[in-house]
Amino acid sequence: MKDEIVLNEFDYNIVNQIELSDIKSLIHTGIIPEIKGQKPDRDNTNDLAEILFITSYPPRECGIATYSHDLIKALNNKFSNSLSIKVCALESGNANYVYPNEVKYILNTSLAAEYEKLALTINKDNHIKIVLIQHEFGFFNAQEQAFMQFIYILSKPVVVVFHTVLPHPDEKLKSKIKSIAAVCGSIIVMTHNSANILTNEYDLPQQKISVIAHGTHLVPHVSKKYLKMKYGLKGRKVLTTFGLLSSGKSIETTLEALPAIVKLIPEVIFLIIGKTHPEIKKVEGEVYRERLEQKVKHFTLQDHVIFINNYLPLPDLLEYLQLTDIYLFTTNDPNQAVSGTFAYAMSCACPIISTPIPHAREILTEDTGIIFDFRNSQQLSDSVIRLLNNEPLRRNISSNTLQKIVSTAWENSAAAHALLFEKMSGGKITIRYNLPAINLNHLKQMTTGTGIIQFSKINQPDIGSGYTLDDNARALIAMCMYFKLTGDEKCVHYIRKYLSFIKRCLQPAGDFLNYVDKDNKFTGQNKAVNLDDANGRAVWALGYAVSLMGLLPYEIVSEAMTSIEKSLLRIGTVHSTRAMAFAIKGIYYYYSAIKSPKSLILIKTFADRLVQMYRHESNKKWEWFESYLTYANSILPEAMLYAWLITGDTIYKDIAGSSFNFLLSQTFNENGIEVISNKNWLLKGKEAEHFGEQPIDVAYTILALGTFYDVFQIEDYRDKMEMAFNWFLGNNHLHQIIYNPCTGGCYDGLEETQVNLNQGAESTVSYLMARLTLEQYKERYL
């Protein structure tokens, strides 16, 4: 405490006269006391580590306030059991904002003395482990020296996020940025271009800089036609720009381009969304908006321009962007490093025409948009006309744009920030993912009166892909799991649908067909491919439904029982490895309700075949049933465990354990789970290739881990269950979400450099089965 008193008595006027670049050396020489205080003891482990964001914050209306709010919301959604995010809200003047509860401190950036007080308060706050500063030059211009003193006094690790990185700095600017960087544990920028400028032109160390792209919102991608009708824009070709208005937006560039566009495409309408920037309005009122309105009248564009003079709620803004045919970004500032409006438009799959700011040059290619020169209305009109007259090109750009931007979802941004905090904390922070709420929305959207549709385009069901027994069998299991967990009577309706589809696929001889087209007719594919796995999955689903006797309505159990008994007459002829394993699971569940000697014989028949396969192929280095690892691998040891549980034959138990532990050794490493690639199977004696990971394989691993944990109570199995589930939440080689919490769907795969954005039945139902399995171990996430 003595050191703090010394600093309070230090003549602040002297500090104000010191050159910024000299502050650090003066601290080192002792002329200015380095007030770090005593290092606080580590908090009780039950207390969450606090991260203090120093930023503008809503209800203040500015881009960085919105940015911070969105990031904090994402961090809380994913990591509220690991971190507590607090805010120091930046104000200039007498704002009198009413802030939400997360705002812990307020800094009036125009008052120099407030910086020192805040630094000392933060230093004494033992809960705060890291301070993150959202830096924009306009925030601290009035009190640069006070800001520099503030960051040098702080005793906590500091992260600075540079929202603007100016190229070609003079020596004064370079010195300022280097002085800020000198006290930071880490620096965040949002583009690789900004990172390169900092290293090449400001001489900052590359290892201190992290590139975390501006976050974007996941959106449900509602029909453009529907949204245009909703907002009274039916039949119009919509151009949109949004953001707080100022002359820097150069919206007049679009207005000057519009007459040529309207002449050829008279249904065009241009939406200008956003109120005048509050700071601009303080100085000049509505001068810029009025100038734009005069230009509209001058060009007689009243029927082609709409001003939406509001700071729109986020859901409304995202709907406007989704109905947009082309998004126009016309800023006249060549040094604008990044744009949140630009990023949000991309997240809504808008084709974009933009001026060449660094953000646009880094992201937009000929496949994802068009770049035109600053203030060049002729280039802009030519580009708009070209895109509006070429719908296939717009669709292609829209699809490519979405693929390009999906990695920047706020959920991924939150994970990148959280991992950085963990790294900087020196062991004081351990990141654990929150369990998402169980969400059936996408599964229900994919389900028609016939059953669950096979594929989707992004998150829109693709009825042309038809239906499969595979998907409906898995959907029946998942919905039965959900009913067992919740008792929700509403899901019985879906259980009946999936069961009805399985019954329809059951043939008189006891076998099943798999493929049904959109017109509910069996396709020729049923004769062209092996259907053993589909038959095994059907037995698994029917057996699981029968096992819920006493919970499910009687008629459902009765129908499932009739169907499985008919299928068991033929299933014994199946020799496909995984089909036998699926069947063992189904018969195990069936036997738990109906003690049938024939069922026991079938389980032993299948298990003995698997034993023979294992003995033929396994050795000390390859404890497996085949000379390769392919898909749905975990079903094999799990089936052997079920065979032991029902028969008591220890050979089944021994093989279950050895084969499962071998499989885990091939799919888990220090990074988490990396399941076998669907592009190249893992051959005996060869190296694994991990790109091409499928959600279904991760889900089956989780189901098997749950079974093994329940039987043996080995904690490593439960730990790996959590580790595997985190693959869906972002703990994978791309650090990107595979589960989409906006839709409730699951992306179809993890490739080498991107995720497959389609959210089909297989991946979505597989995720749901994994999530429902984790629910019984939920206390570990609390």
Side-chain angles (χ1 to χ4, degrees), residues 428-473:
K428 294 181 180 179
I429 297 173
T430 300
I431 294 300
R432 297 186 68 190
Y433 293 81
N434 294 353
L435 271 178
I438 297 170
N439 184 347
L440 303 180
N441 288 348
H442 190 57
L443 179 141
K444 291 179 178 180
Q445 182 182 351
M446 292 285 288
T447 301
T448 69
T450 299
I452 190 166
I453 297 170
Q454 184 176 192
F455 296 141
S456 74
K457 295 177 180 178
I458 310 298
N459 68 312
Q460 297 302 309
D462 179 12
I463 187 62
S465 66
Y467 309 85
T468 67
L469 173 65
D470 287 329
D471 292 328
N472 281 273

Side-chain angles (χ1 to χ4, degrees), residues 455-718:
F455 296 141
S456 74
K457 295 177 180 178
I458 310 298
N459 68 312
Q460 297 302 309
D462 179 12
I463 187 62
S465 66
Y467 309 85
T468 67
L469 173 65
D470 287 329
D471 292 328
N472 281 273
R474 282 186 289 258
L476 177 62
I477 294 167
M479 202 53 91
C480 284
M481 292 173 70
Y482 182 77
F483 181 76
K484 181 181 179 181
L485 176 70
T486 66
D488 184 356
E489 294 289 341
K490 294 177 183 177
C491 70
V492 172
H493 170 68
Y494 292 90
I495 290 173
R496 286 195 172 98
K497 283 187 182 183
Y498 305 138
L499 178 58
S500 176
F501 186 92
I502 295 172
K503 287 170 58 183
R504 186 168 184 275
C505 292
L506 181 59
Q507 301 302 292
D511 60 322
F512 294 88
L513 299 181
N514 189 27
Y515 301 100
V516 176
D517 67 17
K518 63 183 178 65
D519 298 318
N520 296 329
K521 297 177 181 178
F522 291 112
T523 72
Q525 197 173 358
N526 289 296
K527 297 179 181 179
V529 299
N530 188 303
L531 302 181
D532 283 358
D533 282 1
N535 277 255
R537 290 189 186 96
V539 171
W540 174 17
L542 293 168
Y544 187 68
V546 171
S547 75
L548 300 184
M549 183 182 294
L551 287 177
L552 285 173
Y554 171 77
E555 73 275 10
I556 290 179
V557 174
S558 177
E559 290 176 18
M561 192 183 309
T562 300
S563 296
I564 193 172
E565 287 173 353
K566 185 175 182 179
S567 71
L568 292 183
L569 298 175
R570 187 186 178 279
I571 195 69
T573 63
V574 165
H575 284 78
S576 171
T577 311
R578 282 151 189 78
M580 292 190 295
F582 288 129
I584 287 174
K585 282 192 73 170
I587 298 168
Y588 170 86
Y589 284 120
Y590 174 71
Y591 188 84
S592 69
I594 307 294
K595 298 296 188 289
S596 163
K598 292 181 180 179
S599 300
L600 200 59
I601 292 171
L602 272 174
I603 285 181
K604 286 183 66 66
T605 299
F606 288 141
D608 287 343
R609 290 176 190 170
L610 291 173
V611 169
Q612 290 175 351
M613 295 177 67
Y614 181 85
R615 285 172 171 168
H616 183 264
E617 287 293 343
S618 66
N619 57 44
K620 289 183 179 180
K621 293 184 178 180
W622 187 265
E623 298 177 274
W624 197 243
F625 305 85
E626 301 160 313
S627 61
Y628 43 77
L629 290 170
T630 59
Y631 63 95
N633 296 298
S634 58
I635 191 71
L636 303 182
E638 187 185 16
M640 296 303 289
L641 185 59
Y642 279 125
W644 169 66
L645 289 173
I646 207 168
T647 66
D649 193 331
T650 56
I651 187 62
Y652 303 154
K653 173 189 173 185
D654 293 342
I655 292 177
S658 61
S659 62
F660 193 49
N661 290 333
F662 168 74
L663 177 62
L664 297 180
S665 74
Q666 299 298 308
T667 52
F668 281 86
N669 55 42
E670 66 276 7
N671 299 321
I673 189 171
E674 294 182 359
V675 292
I676 304 303
S677 169
N678 71 332
K679 300 186 183 302
N680 291 291
W681 305 134
L682 175 58
L683 303 179
K684 194 175 187 178
K686 302 293 184 180
E687 292 294 322
E689 182 177 316
H690 292 295
F691 305 129
E693 299 172 61
Q694 301 295 294
I696 190 170
D697 289 317
V698 179
Y700 281 168
T701 302
I702 291 169
L703 266 63
L705 284 164
T707 303
F708 273 81
Y709 175 75
D710 289 342
V711 173
F712 298 113
Q713 294 293 299
I714 295 174
E715 286 299 315
D716 184 57
Y717 291 143
R718 195 156 72 161

Side-chain angles (χ1 to χ4, degrees), residues 180-239:
I180 294 172
V183 294
C184 295
S186 184
I187 294 166
I188 295 174
V189 292
M190 297 177 203
T191 66
H192 292 283
N193 179 71
S194 293
N196 291 335
I197 292 172
L198 288 179
T199 54
N200 297 331
E201 300 184 33
Y202 290 84
D203 302 325
L204 299 190
Q206 189 174 11
Q207 64 271 19
K208 187 176 276 194
I209 301 170
S210 298
V211 178
I212 303 178
H214 192 297
T216 54
H217 293 281
L218 298 170
V219 296
H221 298 288
V222 180
S223 161
K224 194 183 294 284
K225 182 178 179 181
Y226 163 78
L227 289 174
K228 285 184 178 181
M229 289 182 64
K230 176 179 177 179
Y231 288 96
L233 297 169
K234 180 181 178 181
R236 306 301 293 265
K237 294 287 181 64
V238 180
L239 312 177

Side-chain angles (χ1 to χ4, degrees), residues 85-102:
I85 310 297
K86 299 297 182 183
V87 173
C88 171
L90 300 177
E91 293 184 355
S92 58
N94 299 317
N96 295 319
Y97 294 123
V98 178
Y99 289 110
N101 292 334
E102 61 265 28

Side-chain angles (χ1 to χ4, degrees), residues 59-74:
R60 181 173 176 177
E61 295 174 348
C62 82
I64 293 178
T66 302
Y67 170 91
S68 293
H69 179 266
D70 289 341
L71 175 56
I72 289 170
K73 181 179 179 181

Side-chain angles (χ1 to χ4, degrees), residues 240-243 245 271-275 306 308 310 312 317 320:
T240 300
T241 193
F242 87 92
L245 289 193
L271 307 182
I272 303 170
I273 302 174
K275 62 199 300 186
I306 297 177
I308 301 174
N310 290 305
L312 290 180
L317 174 61
Y320 270 111

